[in-house]
Every structure is written in C-alpha cells, then in structure tokens.
Amino acid sequence: QTAVRQILDGMAISAQHGTGQEVHRAFPFPDALVKTGTASCTHSRREPGDGFTVVLTPADDPHLLLLVRVHGVPGAQAAKIAGQMLRRIED
C-alpha cells in the first residue's frame, strides 16, 4: 500500500539522516527503521515534553519492535536510549 510504503520510507530516512541516527550511534546496526518524536508530558511532575522512539528491526523483515518513552527529554535522546537497549539485547 502506498501510505504504508511512505511511512516505512520516512522511517528509513529518519534512521539514516534524521534524529533516528542516534539509535545507530549507540547500536551500530544499519538495518533498522526509526521514528522519533516529542509529545506533551502527561506526568504529575510536568516537563516540557517526553521523547518517544519506535524502532523496527531488521528493516526488510522486522522481528522486533521497540517503543521507548523517556520523561523530560526530546525524541533524539529517546533514540539514543533505544540504541543502548538494543545493544544490551544483542549482547
């Protein structure tokens, strides 16, 4: 489907050239799809926002989906943490 292909293409671009690169800096695995974002904080101790990252790996046939939410940081920081988590899983 065209819409799904556009989403996956955007995730590939994010992983290679956008804030999703932080996943690869912490977990040098070039075959992942990544989407990051920052959303309004819903915690009782308010912060400007919470960082989110979704990682699908491997990109061509995902077997793992990781969703990370980190309180009080932007999406790029959540991507770095997601990469660190993937590295630990792989070890």
Side-chain angles (χ1 to χ4, degrees):
Q1 294 180 350
T2 302
V4 172
R5 183 76 261 156
Q6 289 174 338
I7 291 167
L8 296 177
D9 289 348
M11 291 178 77
I13 291 168
S14 173
Q16 296 167 4
H17 305 290
T19 54
Q21 283 182 319
E22 292 298 324
V23 169
H24 296 301
R25 287 190 179 116
F27 178 66
F29 186 76
D31 191 24
L33 302 172
V34 182
K35 176 63 181 118
T36 65
T38 305
S40 298
C41 177
T42 60
H43 294 87
S44 58
R45 188 178 58 93
R46 294 274 186 225
E47 293 287 339
D50 290 345
F52 286 82
T53 298
V54 175
V55 181
L56 297 167
T57 187
D60 58 347
D61 185 25
H63 295 279
L64 176 70
L65 182 145
L66 176 64
L67 170 63
V68 175
R69 177 183 184 176
V70 184
H71 178 63
V73 303
Q77 181 64 30
K80 181 178 179 182
I81 292 168
Q84 293 167 346
M85 294 170 74
L86 288 168
R87 187 175 58 215
R88 294 199 77 177
I89 290 169
E90 195 65 23
D91 289 344

